[in-house]
């Protein structure tokens, strides 16, 4: 207990995050290699994403191509923002909020992608209207097996979209509010008092996150058997992995830093060092996810080639039929 108390009152552990120049001055050979490698990985993630954007833009029709571009941007954007946060520790709050706001839009786009893969809203309703959907899925109601199945309708589809979209809108609004309060000194993640704004805003964002994940889970769990041919299951798994790493992993590290479990190491305080470790882990993890997503989303469009071959075969058949008719 005394050791923990001493850690909390150590002046070195209470200082603000260091400036970028102070971080660079502390570099040794290992730090130079580590920062260079992670920066290269973040830049490569962004380049691979841009190459995939060009590929998707050329191969797919609107609006599916914009949806896929949004979803694939989650890992590169988080990696790029984490790279900025790694080099400029005092900007971590802004880089994290930017990444989280982008991912909030991705949650909605995953729901849109599932519907688009089934032919769009009109085709989806025409095919599944009246069919009952299981709503006892995670993360809200995975244990509520007694919940009745709900028939799909235009109103039901609208509520599912609204449930996912509200997170994208409210998360952005609350992030802007948090930045405004931070400039006034009223928003501090380490302030856990009941009068602090962070203790009210962050739990509310957590409720919004869970609420937005539920409609996506409902749609995926009911439609996954029909989407296996386009590798929707591994695509959804990558989306879930980004969610866990960017939200849960970061939260755990921040809690450990606030508790003093992650020791301070001047010029980094406990909280700044925890944020630094989180940014570095995130770059490597998002780089791997970017590579996996690139393989998944490029391979998913082989059907285009088959469609082209079918069109070519149809033209040959028409030509042959015309020749027979002439003869």
């Amino acid at each position: 207990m005394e050791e923990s108390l001493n850690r909390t009152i150590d002046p070195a552990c209470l200082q603000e995050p260091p400036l970028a120049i102070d971080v660079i001055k502390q570099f040794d050979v290992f730090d130079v290699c580590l920062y260079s490698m992670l920066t290269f990985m973040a830049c490569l993630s962004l380049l691979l994403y841009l190459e995939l954007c060009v590929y998707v833009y050329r191969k797919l029709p609107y609006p599916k191509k914009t949806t896929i571009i949004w979803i694939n941007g989650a890992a590169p954007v988080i990696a790029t923002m984490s790279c900025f946060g790694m080099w400029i520790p005092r900007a971590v709050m802004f880089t994290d909020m930017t990444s989280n706001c982008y991912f909030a839009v991705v949650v909605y786009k995953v729901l849109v992608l599932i519907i688009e893969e089934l032919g769009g809203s009109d085709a989806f309703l025409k095919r599944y209207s009246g069919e009952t959907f299981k709503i006892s899925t995670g993360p809200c109601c995975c244990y509520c097996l007694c919940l009745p199945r709900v028939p799909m309708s235009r109103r039901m589809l609208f509520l599912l979209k609204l449930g996912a979209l509200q997170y994208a809108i409210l998360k952005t609004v609350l992030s802007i509010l948090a930045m405004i309060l931070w400039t006034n000194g009223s928003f501090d993640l380490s302030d856990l008092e009941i009068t602090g704004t962070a203790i009210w805003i962050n739990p509310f964002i957590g409720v919004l996150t869970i609420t937005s994940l539920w409609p996506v889970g409902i749609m995926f769990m009911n439609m996954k058997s029909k989407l296996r041919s386009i590798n929707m299951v591994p695509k959804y798994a990558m989306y879930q992995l980004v969610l866990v790493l960017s939200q849960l992993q970061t939260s755990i590290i921040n809690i450990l830093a606030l508790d003093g479990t992650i020791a301070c190491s001047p010029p980094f305080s406990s909280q700044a060092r925890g944020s630094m470790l989180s940014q570095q882990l995130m770059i490597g993890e998002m780089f791997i996810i970017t590579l996996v997503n690139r393989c998944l989303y490029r391979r998913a469009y082989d059907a285009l080639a088959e469609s082209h071959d079918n069109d070519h075969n149809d033209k040959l058949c028409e030509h042959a039929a015309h020749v027979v008719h002439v003869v």
Side-chain angles (χ1 to χ4, degrees), residues 22-76:
D22 295 330
V23 176
I24 295 174
K25 287 179 180 179
Q26 299 289 326
F27 274 5
D28 54 19
V29 176
F30 174 78
D31 291 327
V32 171
C33 295
L34 177 64
Y35 275 62
S36 300
M37 181 182 66
L38 292 176
T39 303
F40 173 76
M41 293 170 69
C43 293
L44 186 57
S45 297
L46 192 58
L47 290 175
L48 290 175
Y49 168 63
L50 294 176
E51 188 273 337
L52 181 61
C53 288
V54 174
Y55 177 83
V56 171
Y57 187 83
R58 290 178 176 177
K59 295 292 184 179
L60 288 181
Y62 179 85
K64 186 185 294 186
K65 61 184 176 184
T66 57
T67 303
I68 291 177
I69 287 173
W70 266 100
I71 294 174
N72 277 275

Side-chain angles (χ1 to χ4, degrees), residues 182-230:
W182 178 82
T183 60
N184 191 49
S186 304
F187 184 85
D188 185 4
L189 292 175
S190 61
D191 183 11
L192 302 180
E193 298 293 333
I194 194 65
T195 56
T197 55
I199 199 66
W200 293 98
I201 292 179
N202 288 340
F204 184 60
I205 291 177
V207 173
L208 295 177
T209 304
I210 294 174
T211 305
S212 67
L213 295 177
W214 190 28
V216 184
I218 291 173
M219 186 65 70
F220 174 75
M221 293 304 294
N222 285 276
M223 295 287 107
K224 65 179 181 179
S225 61
K226 301 175 176 62
L227 297 173
R228 291 186 184 276
S229 60
I230 58 169

Side-chain angles (χ1 to χ4, degrees), residues 1-271:
M1 176 68 74
E2 292 181 357
E3 182 181 355
S4 177
L5 181 61
N6 291 334
R7 282 204 305 265
T8 58
I9 63 175
D10 188 352
C13 296
L14 296 176
Q15 62 186 359
E16 293 183 350
L19 297 171
I21 188 65
D22 295 330
V23 176
I24 295 174
K25 287 179 180 179
Q26 299 289 326
F27 274 5
D28 54 19
V29 176
F30 174 78
D31 291 327
V32 171
C33 295
L34 177 64
Y35 275 62
S36 300
M37 181 182 66
L38 292 176
T39 303
F40 173 76
M41 293 170 69
C43 293
L44 186 57
S45 297
L46 192 58
L47 290 175
L48 290 175
Y49 168 63
L50 294 176
E51 188 273 337
L52 181 61
C53 288
V54 174
Y55 177 83
V56 171
Y57 187 83
R58 290 178 176 177
K59 295 292 184 179
L60 288 181
Y62 179 85
K64 186 185 294 186
K65 61 184 176 184
T66 57
T67 303
I68 291 177
I69 287 173
W70 266 100
I71 294 174
N72 277 275
V77 166
I78 294 174
T80 304
M81 290 296 104
S82 297
C83 185
F84 283 125
M86 179 182 68
W87 283 101
I88 310 174
R90 293 193 179 185
V92 165
M93 188 183 77
F94 299 97
T95 57
D96 284 350
M97 286 185 176
T98 302
S99 300
N100 292 336
C101 289
Y102 186 96
F103 187 77
V105 179
V106 170
V107 173
Y108 171 71
K109 290 295 183 179
V110 171
L111 177 63
V112 173
L113 178 62
I114 295 174
I115 297 173
E116 289 296 329
E117 293 290 4
L118 294 167
S121 298
D122 293 336
F124 174 81
L125 289 172
K126 184 178 180 180
R127 183 174 180 182
Y128 297 104
S129 181
E131 183 174 329
T132 57
F133 275 48
K134 178 183 177 182
I135 62 172
S136 56
T137 62
C140 291
C141 303
C142 52
Y143 297 108
C144 301
L145 301 179
C146 59
L147 288 176
R149 297 176 68 92
V150 177
M152 178 54 62
S153 62
R154 187 170 296 275
R155 181 174 179 272
M156 178 64 178
L157 182 60
F158 171 76
L159 291 177
L160 291 175
K161 288 184 177 181
L162 183 63
L165 183 61
Q166 53 83 23
Y167 178 52
I169 297 174
L170 295 179
K171 170 62 180 176
T172 304
V173 172
L174 291 174
S175 295
I176 295 174
L177 176 62
M179 291 180 185
I180 295 173
L181 293 174
W182 178 82
T183 60
N184 191 49
S186 304
F187 184 85
D188 185 4
L189 292 175
S190 61
D191 183 11
L192 302 180
E193 298 293 333
I194 194 65
T195 56
T197 55
I199 199 66
W200 293 98
I201 292 179
N202 288 340
F204 184 60
I205 291 177
V207 173
L208 295 177
T209 304
I210 294 174
T211 305
S212 67
L213 295 177
W214 190 28
V216 184
I218 291 173
M219 186 65 70
F220 174 75
M221 293 304 294
N222 285 276
M223 295 287 107
K224 65 179 181 179
S225 61
K226 301 175 176 62
L227 297 173
R228 291 186 184 276
S229 60
I230 58 169
N231 291 330
M232 194 63 203
V233 174
K235 290 176 184 177
Y236 188 81
M238 288 298 103
Y239 145 76
Q240 292 277 50
L241 186 58
V242 173
L243 170 68
V244 171
L245 294 176
S246 63
Q247 305 294 322
L248 184 60
Q249 175 184 269
T250 302
S251 298
I252 292 174
I253 293 176
N254 289 337
I255 291 172
L256 293 176
L258 289 173
D259 186 58
T261 303
I262 298 178
C264 65
S265 178
F268 293 101
S269 63
S270 296
Q271 189 174 353

